[in-house]
């Protein structure tokens, strides 16, 4: 066009052409999207040497160029398709053996931006690059699976003949105590209080768990151990007969005089007199019978289509452990070799770090955090210990037990150095996966798990940083132990999304999809108690205060997020029934059989049903759609489904304009409510919403959580 012609002399066609030539595209960064799910990485878990197709989404006719920066290579991505809202760019790349990082560079007019795992950025931020680890897969059965954590002693007593008896043995300064009132609250010193829960009890409640919708049962430790928590393992080779089967019950308990004092023949080693305990937990008849019962238990669980994972405590053992034998209960047995505490010639001497040559009865060994009841295992100096534990790792995921994986206690603390820890868990993973390729390796971990989730160590972690903590701060303002209250974090949408956005990038997508998303567990306060916005522990406030001022609707909102967030929703036994409690030990109350909150149980059933009906909750993408003080909204979507979660924790009706077009919903889409929770309870009543210009305009009532889904177009 001849621009020397004055505008007023141009024809109408020339004027239109001039306008079109000078039209500036309004760039919309909210349209940009990619992630590691199967819709944008095909296949989502590629093997070494495989070709993978990476996809990127941008607004329709909204960008000029998308460049994939893949390792050291740059690819100008071709546009391969579009729909009414978006253009899609794709590029195939070949993988080698090593982990590779990538990001996208987007050009629109004179503007350039970058897209990585945290979203749109104005500059390259390598910390947030996408990454592919070739051949790293996590079990499909665990992706978005409903886990149920059971602290066995407190779940259900199915066999009273195996109960720990009062004064059966001596532990940490006193005799054991058999609690006869199932509903008695835990004591401040709870370690030797036993309520009688056992594997038979779990087996008798499998109908309940199946009806609830549970897919995976995670058991806190069940190996031979003197405590109710069993994180002080006595014998890794056997299930504790107090949880299993006692077929031989000889000997006697510790005795007391008329004044109530224990009568002990050897003040240094009182458990030499605990002959009934010695029989129960060292006699092979009891041990083998308990292992057989456990194999039967797993078989029954598998027959129902569910899985079982065990708690592996490999950082430390217990002072009762047969390798150490601090209690001298194995010392006189012909079936067991001498423990390292008893004799310097013990075959297990290298299993522990002794600081002095002071045998027999050498008390100078390293304990975890200085606790002599939790002797630290000395892997660096004991190849024999290393091989023994790897054998244990394989044993329980192999026939006849066929367990479906391990949860690993304090996993990052195992060795004396980080380098050794990484080496150990690489070998542990190899051993487990060779024995059972579909087993999961899931670790307890706080902080950035990146170095552990590179495909050669853990599959995933207990998700504190990218689930429990941000959610509990937003909904309750209370720290996960109920030790601190933060008014500035209560209802703070920016802090919630900021934490989630940052910490979720620390996971590979396949690790995030199987991450254990808990509201509560055995180490922290019950989430329902946190809804009272109070700081406290059983010692300072008393147990009853944990039940006071709770907000069941706020709890239901937490469950709504739990069942719709990326990861494996994990219910801590009794949460679904309204159980309260301050942090450990009060969070270890017994399941309230006969006193359950039936409405909360039904609410869990409905949300679990909804979770299972929608594959998008297991493997779909997530986008944060709306956030302001006390209000958040996010969407889950894939090629087939689009759902939106809305939370209003304020006392006022709040208007929200939610850009559901970002999920792929066209201007004339309709949405319908699936489930709603508010102070009156919960409702499954359907309400239809119409989206205007790709935006859901909603007046959300006070203190309301809402799940809505796309039901199609008006046209």
């Amino acid at each position: 066009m001849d621009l020397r012609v004055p505008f007023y002399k141009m024809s109408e066609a020339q004027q239109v052409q001039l306008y079109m030539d000078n039209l500036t595209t309004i760039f919309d960064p909210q349209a940009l999207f990619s992630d590691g799910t199967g819709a944008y990485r095909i296949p989502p878990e590629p093997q070494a040497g495989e070709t993978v197709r990476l996809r990127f989404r941008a607004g329709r006719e909204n960008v000029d160029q998308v460049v994939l920066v893949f390792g050291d290579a740059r690819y100008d991505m071709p546009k391969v398709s579009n729909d009414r809202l978006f253009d899609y760019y794709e590029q195939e790349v070949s993988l080698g053996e090593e982990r590779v990082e990538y990001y996208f560079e987007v050009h629109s007019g004179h503007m350039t931006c970058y897209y990585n795992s945290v979203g749109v950025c104005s500059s390259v931020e390598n910390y947030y690059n996408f990454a592919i680890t070739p051949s790293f897969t996590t079990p499909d059965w665990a992706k978005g699976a409903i886990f149920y954590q059971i602290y066995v002693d407190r779940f259900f007593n199915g066999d009273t003949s195996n109960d720990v008896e009062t004064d059966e043995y001596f532990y940490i300064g006193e005799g054991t105590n058999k609690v006869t009132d199932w509903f008695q609250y835990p004591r401040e010193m709870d370690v030797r209080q036993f309520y009688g829960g056992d594997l038979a009890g779990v087996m008798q409640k499998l109908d309940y768990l199946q009806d609830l919708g549970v897919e995976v049962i995670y058991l806190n430790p069940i190996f031979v151990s003197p405590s109710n928590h069993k994180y002080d393992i006595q014998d890794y080779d056997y299930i504790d007969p107090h949880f299993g089967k006692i077929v031989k019950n000889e000997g006697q308990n510790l005795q007391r005089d008329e004044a109530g004092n224990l009568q002990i023949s050897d003040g240094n080693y009182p458990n030499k007199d605990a002959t009934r305990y010695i029989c129960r937990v060292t006699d092979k008849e009891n041990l083998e019978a308990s292992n057989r019962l456990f194999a039967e238990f797993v078989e029954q669980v598998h027959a129902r289509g569910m899985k079982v994972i065990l708690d592996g405590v490999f950082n430390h053992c217990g002072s009762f452990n047969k390798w150490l034998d601090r209690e001298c209960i194995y010392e006189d047995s012909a079936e067991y070799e001498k423990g390292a505490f008893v004799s310097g010639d013990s075959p297990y001497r290298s299993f522990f770090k002794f600081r002095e040559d002071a045998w027999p009865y050498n008390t100078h060994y390293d304990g975890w955090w200085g606790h002599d009841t939790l002797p630290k295992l000395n892997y660096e100096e004991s190849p024999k210990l290393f091989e023994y534990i790897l054998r244990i790792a394989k044993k329980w995921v192999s026939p006849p037990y066929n367990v479906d994986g391990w949860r690993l206690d304090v996993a990052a603390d195992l060795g004396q150095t980080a380098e050794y820890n990484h080496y150990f868990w690489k070998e542990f993973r190899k051993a487990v996966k060779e024995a059972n390729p579909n087993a999961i390796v899931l670790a307890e971990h706080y902080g950035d798990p990146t170095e552990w989730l590179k495909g050669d160590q853990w599959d995933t972690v207990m998700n504190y940083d990218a689930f429990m903590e941000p959610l509990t701060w937003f909904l309750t303002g209370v720290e996960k132990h109920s030790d601190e209250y933060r008014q500035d974090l209560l209802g703070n949408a920016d802090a919630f999304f900021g934490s989630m956005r940052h910490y979720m990038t620390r996971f590979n997508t396949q690790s995030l999809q199987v991450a254990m998303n808990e509201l509560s567990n055995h180490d922290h306060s019950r989430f329902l108690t946190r809804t009272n916005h109070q700081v406290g522990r059983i010692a300072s406030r008393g147990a009853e205060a944990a039940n006071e001022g709770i907000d069941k609707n706020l709890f239901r909102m937490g469950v709504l997020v739990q069942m719709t967030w990326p990861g494996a929703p994990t219910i801590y036994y009794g949460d679904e029934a309204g159980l309260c409690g301050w942090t450990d030990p009060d969070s270890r109350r017994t399941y309230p059989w006969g006193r359950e909150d039936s409405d909360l149980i039904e609410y869990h059933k409905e949300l679990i049903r909804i979770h299972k009906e929608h594959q998008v909750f297991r493997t779909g993408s997530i986008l944060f759609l709306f956030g302001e003080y006390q209000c958040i909204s996010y969407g889950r979507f894939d090629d087939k489904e689009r759902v939106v979660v809305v939370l209003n924790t304020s006392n006022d009706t709040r208007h929200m304009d939610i850009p559901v077009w970002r999920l792929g919903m066209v201007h004339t889409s309709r949405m319908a409510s699936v489930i709603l929770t508010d102070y009156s309870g919960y409702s499954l009543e359907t309400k239809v919403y119409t989206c205007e210009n790709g935006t859901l305009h909603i007046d959300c009532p006070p203190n309301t959580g809402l799940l809505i889904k796309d039901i199609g177009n008006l046209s």
Side-chain angles (χ1 to χ4, degrees):
M1 177 180 292
D2 188 354
L3 296 180
R4 292 171 296 179
V5 178
F7 184 78
Y8 70 90
K9 290 186 177 181
M10 289 182 181
S11 67
E12 182 177 352
Q14 287 175 316
Q15 290 176 358
V16 170
Q17 184 63 46
L18 179 65
Y19 170 78
M20 295 297 295
D21 289 345
N22 289 274
L23 184 65
T24 300
T25 300
I26 300 174
F27 175 62
D28 190 352
Q30 290 193 82
L32 306 182
F33 188 77
S34 187
D35 64 8
T37 67
Y40 290 90
R41 182 185 295 167
I42 303 114
E45 298 173 288
Q47 297 296 305
E50 191 170 3
T51 296
V52 61
R53 179 158 46 100
L54 300 177
R55 299 182 77 214
F56 186 80
R57 188 191 81 180
R60 180 80 181 264
E61 302 298 335
N62 195 232
V63 305
D64 300 319
Q65 182 185 31
V66 178
V67 177
L68 169 65
V69 183
F70 189 82
D72 296 328
R74 293 173 61 87
Y75 300 93
D76 189 352
M77 300 181 73
K79 186 192 302 183
V80 297
S81 64
N82 56 50
D83 55 29
R84 293 173 65 179
L85 296 173
F86 304 112
D87 291 330
Y88 296 91
Y89 298 77
E90 292 185 0
Q91 179 66 48
E92 289 191 345
V93 290
S94 297
L95 300 179
E97 299 284 339
E98 301 300 318
R99 182 175 184 267
V100 62
E101 297 183 357
Y102 66 96
Y103 62 90
F104 302 94
E105 181 181 292
V106 181
H107 300 272
S108 180
H110 299 294
M111 194 283 312
T112 299
C113 70
Y114 305 88
Y115 195 93
N116 54 30
S117 64
V118 83
V120 179
C121 297
S122 59
S123 61
V124 175
E125 297 186 27
N126 291 327
Y127 184 77
Y128 292 116
N129 285 348
F130 291 109
I132 296 177
T133 303
S135 302
F136 177 27
T137 64
T138 58
D140 285 340
W141 61 260
K143 291 180 171 71
I146 304 295
F147 281 62
Y148 191 88
Q149 178 185 351
I150 297 178
Y151 193 92
V152 178
D153 181 62
R154 308 296 161 85
F155 187 62
F156 187 67
N157 190 344
D159 179 2
T160 57
S161 70
N162 63 12
D163 291 358
V164 174
E165 299 175 356
T166 296
D167 292 333
E168 185 175 322
Y169 53 98
F170 189 88
Y171 192 42
I172 312 181
E174 229 338 315
T176 56
N177 181 49
K178 178 179 179 178
V179 180
T180 56
D181 177 4
W182 180 257
F183 299 104
Q184 176 183 303
Y185 292 141
R187 296 180 181 178
E188 183 181 350
M189 177 54 179
D190 183 62
V191 67
R192 50 181 176 264
Q193 302 290 112
F194 293 91
Y195 288 73
D198 48 30
L199 288 175
V202 181
M203 292 169 77
Q204 291 172 31
K205 295 299 182 179
L206 288 178
D207 283 346
Y208 167 76
L209 296 176
Q210 190 169 23
D211 185 54
L212 186 63
V214 171
E215 295 173 298
V216 185
I217 298 172
Y218 154 45
L219 300 173
N220 283 111
I222 59 174
F223 302 117
V224 181
S225 160
S227 66
N228 58 54
H229 59 68
K230 302 202 178 301
Y231 285 96
D232 43 3
I233 305 296
Q234 183 172 330
D235 191 336
Y236 291 91
D237 283 294
Y238 295 102
I239 305 302
D240 195 318
H242 296 99
F243 282 176
K245 202 87 172 169
I246 294 175
V247 295
K248 189 175 181 180
N249 200 29
E250 299 174 354
Q252 62 180 11
N253 298 330
L254 300 176
Q255 303 298 305
R256 293 183 182 267
D257 59 24
E258 294 181 357
N261 299 312
L262 284 171
Q263 295 179 303
I264 296 171
S265 59
D266 187 332
N268 292 319
Y269 308 108
N271 285 315
K272 287 185 175 182
D273 294 332
T275 53
R276 174 164 294 178
Y277 178 74
I278 293 172
C279 172
R280 285 180 157 194
V281 300
T282 71
D283 190 279
K284 293 297 175 65
E285 287 188 48
N286 292 328
L287 298 173
E288 296 293 348
S290 296
N291 280 10
R292 287 193 297 272
L293 178 68
F294 179 68
E296 179 186 342
F297 165 75
V298 177
E299 186 176 353
Q300 287 191 22
V301 172
H302 285 171
R304 294 169 179 263
M306 296 188 285
K307 308 287 187 181
V308 178
I309 65 170
L310 293 179
D311 211 322
V313 189
F314 303 126
N315 167 67
H316 55 271
C317 61
S319 57
F320 280 61
N321 190 279
K322 64 184 179 183
W323 302 331
L324 184 70
D325 197 20
R326 172 71 182 259
E327 300 297 318
C328 301
I329 62 176
Y330 296 94
E331 183 179 13
D332 298 326
S333 173
E335 291 190 85
Y336 294 89
E337 297 180 279
K338 298 296 183 186
F341 171 79
V342 174
S343 171
D345 295 326
S346 168
Y348 310 118
R349 175 173 171 172
S350 66
F351 286 24
F352 308 95
K353 183 77 170 180
F354 288 93
R355 300 182 301 277
E356 295 183 21
D357 188 352
W359 283 277
Y361 312 122
N362 191 340
T363 61
H364 303 284
Y365 56 85
D366 285 348
W368 187 55
W369 287 78
H371 296 289
D372 64 358
T373 57
L374 301 174
K376 190 85 167 65
L377 292 171
N378 185 33
Y379 291 97
E380 282 93 336
E381 298 177 16
S382 182
K384 182 178 178 181
L385 169 64
F386 173 81
E387 293 299 328
Y388 200 124
I389 292 297
L390 290 194
R391 182 181 65 77
I392 293 296
K394 292 185 286 188
K395 171 179 178 175
W396 295 102
V397 299
S398 303
Y401 310 108
N402 298 310
V403 163
D404 301 289
W406 289 99
R407 177 268 186 189
L408 307 171
D409 188 58
V410 290
D413 292 355
L414 181 129
Q416 304 298 330
T417 66
E419 291 76 15
Y420 184 83
N421 283 356
H422 288 295
Y423 164 74
F424 178 90
W425 293 120
K426 288 175 183 177
E427 296 304 309
F428 183 93
R429 180 185 183 84
K430 289 177 186 175
V432 170
K433 298 288 185 174
E434 286 173 4
N436 184 346
N438 219 22
I440 193 168
V441 179
L442 184 160
E444 177 190 26
H445 186 71
Y446 299 85
D448 189 340
T450 303
E451 293 304 311
W452 308 94
L453 301 181
K454 291 188 173 180
D456 56 356
Q457 295 167 76
W458 310 335
D459 284 320
T460 193
V461 297
M462 301 177 74
N463 198 1
Y464 291 114
D465 295 289
F467 184 76
M468 182 192 282
E469 294 207 54
L471 185 59
T472 196
W473 285 123
F474 177 78
L475 289 179
T476 75
V478 177
E479 181 267 344
K480 60 184 178 293
H481 287 285
S482 293
D483 281 344
E484 181 184 10
Y485 176 75
R486 291 277 303 272
Q487 179 68 41
D488 61 315
L489 294 179
L490 178 63
N492 188 328
D494 289 340
F496 172 77
F497 283 138
S499 292
M500 287 295 199
R501 182 178 288 110
H502 169 76
Y503 287 110
M504 287 170 72
T505 68
R506 302 300 85 206
F507 292 78
N508 299 287
T509 300
Q510 62 265 47
S511 294
L512 186 65
Q513 290 170 342
V514 298
M516 188 179 277
N517 288 352
E518 294 187 293
L519 296 173
S520 321
N521 62 32
H522 61 292
D523 285 328
H524 304 95
S525 58
R526 293 271 179 176
F527 189 85
L528 188 53
T529 286
R530 275 176 250 153
T531 66
N532 66 13
H533 310 297
Q534 298 293 310
V535 171
R537 290 200 173 208
I538 190 172
S540 60
R541 299 288 301 278
E544 196 59 46
N547 307 328
E548 298 170 355
I550 59 173
D551 186 334
K552 291 183 182 178
N553 183 48
L554 207 56
F555 173 65
R556 288 194 296 268
M557 287 192 198
V559 179
L560 174 61
V561 176
Q562 181 185 39
M563 294 295 166
T564 56
W565 202 261
T570 303
I571 301 167
Y572 183 41
Y573 79 100
D575 264 12
E576 79 280 14
L579 210 55
C580 295
W582 301 115
T583 196
D584 164 28
D586 198 36
S587 59
R588 302 170 180 183
R589 297 181 182 184
T590 52
Y591 185 100
W593 299 110
R595 301 181 182 181
E596 305 95 328
D597 187 318
S598 57
D599 288 339
L600 282 181
I601 291 176
E602 290 304 314
Y603 178 72
H604 276 80
K605 285 183 182 179
E606 292 294 351
L607 268 174
I608 290 171
R609 174 188 58 80
I610 292 165
H611 175 92
K612 289 181 172 183
E613 287 177 353
H614 299 279
Q615 181 66 28
V616 70
F617 293 132
R618 296 183 187 266
T619 56
S621 301
I622 185 169
L623 271 174
F624 305 149
L625 299 175
F626 182 92
E628 63 181 32
Y629 180 56
Q630 295 183 318
C631 293
I632 59 171
S633 177
Y634 58 91
R636 301 295 307 276
F637 66 104
D638 57 22
D639 291 339
K640 297 179 180 178
E641 297 181 284
R642 286 164 288 275
V643 296
V644 173
V645 176
V646 180
L647 263 64
N648 173 17
T649 64
S650 75
N651 294 323
D652 304 304
T653 297
R654 300 285 285 275
H655 180 77
M656 302 187 207
D657 296 319
I658 302 172
V660 294
W661 65 267
R662 297 182 65 200
L663 308 178
M665 297 180 61
V666 296
H667 295 171
T668 56
S669 292
R670 296 175 301 163
M671 303 194 77
S673 57
V674 179
I675 191 168
L676 175 148
T677 176
D678 60 20
Y679 275 136
S680 66
Y682 74 92
S683 171
L684 301 175
E685 183 178 348
T686 299
K687 179 180 179 180
V688 177
Y689 302 84
T690 301
C691 303
E692 299 178 3
N693 297 320
T695 300
L696 175 64
H697 303 285
I698 185 170
D699 291 314
C700 188
N703 303 293
T704 295
L706 177 64
L707 173 62
I708 50 183
K709 69 176 181 179
D710 179 17
I711 57 172
N713 302 337
L714 287 169
S715 56

